[in-house]
Amino acid sequence: MCILAERGPKDPVDGASRDLPSPGDAAPSDNPWSRAKPPAIRAHPAGAGPTPRDRTGAPCGGPRSDTRPGRAPPSPWNGPADSERQPGADARAAAALAIHQVRDRGQSLTRVMSQSVLPRPPADRALTQELIYGTLRVLPRLEALVGILLHHPVKPSDRDLEALILVGLYQLTVLGTPPHAAVAATVEAVRLLGKPDKAGLVNALLRRFLREREALLAEADALPSVRWLFPEWLLAALRRDWPEEWEGIVGASNARPPMSLRINATRTDRRAFAGLLAADGITARPIAGTESGLMLDRPVPAQTLPGFAAGLVSVQDGGAQFAAQILDAQPGERVLDACAAPGGKTAHILERTGPGLDLVAIDSAPARLEPLRENLARLGLSARVECADAAEPRGTWVRPLFDRVLLDVPCSATGVIRRHPDIKWLRRATDIPELCALQVRILDAIWPLLVPGGRLLYVTCSLLAAENQDQIAAFLARQPQAREAPILLGDAAAAWGRERRHGRQLLPTDGGSDGFYFALLEKMAQ
């Protein structure tokens, strides 16, 4: 994904720098739509979501608590020695700090996770991720419960403590953690946050919830904001664009994502790798429509996959794998991945084409190019990697012109919410026009780099018509050389997803792919 500090995440890739997957297989790909929320804990109003960042990654508006570059969230590991702590307290404290960064300081979850100091034991690290992702998925319900339990909103300085209460309630309402363990570890985590005088308050609130559980849940679940666990503005947009499918979209977006793999065709094949998985007791099945995709029956840490370090496999959603197949680059061609970081689609193009491909991958920030280079090195692949802005392409890499272009543009990321639940609470309805304007600039800037007869694949991980078929319709109207080409997977016309006025749309489904949009454009000779 290009310009990660400015857009929502796209395909999850590799996770090479992580030793554990999130609940599902989401891997680092930043979600920038950041705006700090006011202290009050109440239902999210219509239009709730975040302010986009500028081209450098800095927020264009809205408050921030700390503007120092690279400032990491605070660490809770200042309390008693490990042996003296309640088991699991570290995980609760780390989860609370991460949620506080997202919810109250407008930070993307991906960025927070990359900067956070997580507990050392693998089990605690896994629990931390479960608490973070799970709490954010059902945030309105937990916030409603806190609003009922507390007599008045907490002080701004105690919003981290409130995040810890949310974590405690998540354990008791969703995880089914034994009450005594959940309460004891959460109360101990209060001390790790440096607020031992508030331990009694947290203990009392959690125990009151246990005593009055049914009545409190009934009161919270009666609130409109709790029913769908989605912001009202996004519900309205989905109802408008998908009047018959929106409920299924919301349900799938609130669920845990599956873990999908892409086999490196330059080093092995799907059948052989499935055998390696089976030998390790990991069961998987082929992903329909993909050439090298496997879906695991249960997620595992990416780095424990057989052959991961040797470059045999990457983590990538099945829907994201369609991009390289539709683009169908051929040996000897010159190809541009105009929005490349973190490099999942770049690598897939190289894997399926083999030697003889001249591929240029660009992104606008050096920090985002480093994971791309690392992924290519792990997979034994090579490309020309350039730090460049797709909206203002310049430099020696722009010539000669390209035979094919993959344009995976910045978008609302509404199709990958289940992997990035913070999108629901950091996005704003007002972001959509700004994103559409950026998509227009990138489309118009990259189109001249395509040779006559060449093809450009426009991709988003959005579900919204304004970013997808409406965007393509407008582009075709203003570019007389552009025409829509049929989308093929292999030798057959597309039979997957939903046909739109222009392009095709994958919707997120339980046990299936994330949400992606594809439109293939061909440049006619003048």
Side-chain angles (χ1 to χ4, degrees), residues 185-266:
T186 304
V187 171
E188 175 65 23
V190 178
R191 299 183 176 91
L192 293 178
L193 295 182
K195 299 183 177 182
D197 56 313
K198 303 296 174 59
L201 170 64
V202 173
N203 182 65
L205 288 177
L206 296 181
R207 292 191 180 279
R208 180 190 165 195
F209 172 78
L210 290 170
R211 290 193 307 270
E212 304 174 26
R213 178 188 179 97
E214 298 307 319
L216 291 169
L217 287 174
E219 184 177 351
D221 290 345
L223 297 173
S225 63
V226 174
R227 180 181 181 188
W228 298 109
L229 303 175
F230 250 63
E232 283 298 324
W233 77 268
L234 186 49
L235 281 176
L238 293 175
R239 288 189 185 108
R240 179 193 65 234
D241 290 350
W242 300 99
E244 297 181 3
E245 297 90 353
W246 71 270
E247 290 191 37
I249 291 171
V250 170
S253 297
N254 286 332
R256 300 169 189 270
M259 184 171 183
S260 303
L261 308 180
R262 186 191 74 245
I263 311 309
N264 184 352
T266 67

Side-chain angles (χ1 to χ4, degrees), residues 293-514:
L294 286 172
M295 183 176 293
L296 302 188
D297 291 333
R298 297 188 64 180
V300 300
Q303 291 186 342
T304 67
L305 291 167
F308 181 84
L312 270 61
V313 63
S314 300
V315 178
Q316 187 181 43
D317 181 78
Q321 295 180 39
F322 285 176
Q325 294 178 214
I326 296 169
L327 188 68
D328 196 28
Q330 300 297 311
E333 290 183 332
R334 180 165 161 83
V335 177
L336 172 65
D337 187 346
C339 296
K345 296 183 181 72
T346 308
H348 192 195
I349 293 169
L350 292 165
E351 289 170 358
R352 75 181 303 276
T353 306
L357 190 69
D358 179 10
L359 190 146
V360 178
I362 69 170
D363 196 87
S364 65
R368 291 190 295 272
L369 292 175
E370 191 56 35
L372 188 154
R373 292 189 177 97
E374 291 173 356
N375 283 328
L376 293 180
R378 181 180 66 84
L379 296 166
L381 305 169
S382 61
R384 179 175 177 178
V385 178
E386 295 281 346
C387 185
D389 187 344
E392 298 179 4
R394 59 171 64 95
T396 59
W397 61 269
V398 303
R399 291 291 186 274
L401 298 179
F402 295 91
D403 300 290
R404 306 199 186 222
V405 173
L406 174 60
L407 192 56
D408 197 355
V409 295
C411 70
S412 62
T414 45
V416 294
I417 283 174
R418 63 185 183 179
R419 300 188 191 278
H420 303 270
D422 54 322
I423 292 170
K424 293 192 290 186
W425 319 125
L426 297 181
R427 185 72 75 249
R428 296 283 188 271
T430 52
D431 295 333
I432 307 306
E434 296 179 13
L435 280 166
C436 289
L438 178 58
Q439 291 157 7
V440 168
R441 295 202 306 273
I442 292 177
L443 265 167
D444 288 347
I446 292 297
W447 183 252
L449 305 185
L450 190 65
V451 301
R455 290 188 167 186
L456 180 150
L457 179 61
Y458 177 90
V459 182
T460 78
C461 55
S462 171
L463 304 174
L464 304 182
E467 301 178 87
N468 296 338
Q469 64 265 26
D470 294 353
Q471 189 71 271
I472 296 303
F475 180 77
L476 291 171
R478 68 178 181 269
Q479 290 289 351
Q481 280 188 276
R483 69 178 177 186
E484 190 171 5
I487 292 179
L488 303 177
L489 281 179
D491 296 327
W496 46 268
R498 309 298 177 93
E499 186 175 6
R500 307 300 277 166
R501 180 162 56 105
H502 297 287
R504 296 191 75 87
Q505 177 81 57
L506 280 173
L507 298 178
T509 56
D510 288 335
S513 73
D514 293 343

Side-chain angles (χ1 to χ4, degrees), residues 136-211:
L136 289 172
R137 285 195 183 100
V138 298
L139 187 61
R141 192 184 199 214
L142 302 176
E143 287 187 330
L145 287 171
V146 171
I148 297 167
L149 288 166
L150 288 173
H151 297 300
H152 51 78
V154 301
K155 297 183 296 184
S157 60
D158 281 333
R159 293 283 284 177
D160 56 346
L161 184 73
E162 185 176 87
L164 180 60
I165 298 170
L166 296 172
V167 169
L169 291 170
Y170 175 72
Q171 298 167 69
L172 298 174
T173 57
V174 177
L175 279 190
T177 308
H180 67 279
V183 173
T186 304
V187 171
E188 175 65 23
V190 178
R191 299 183 176 91
L192 293 178
L193 295 182
K195 299 183 177 182
D197 56 313
K198 303 296 174 59
L201 170 64
V202 173
N203 182 65
L205 288 177
L206 296 181
R207 292 191 180 279
R208 180 190 165 195
F209 172 78
L210 290 170
R211 290 193 307 270

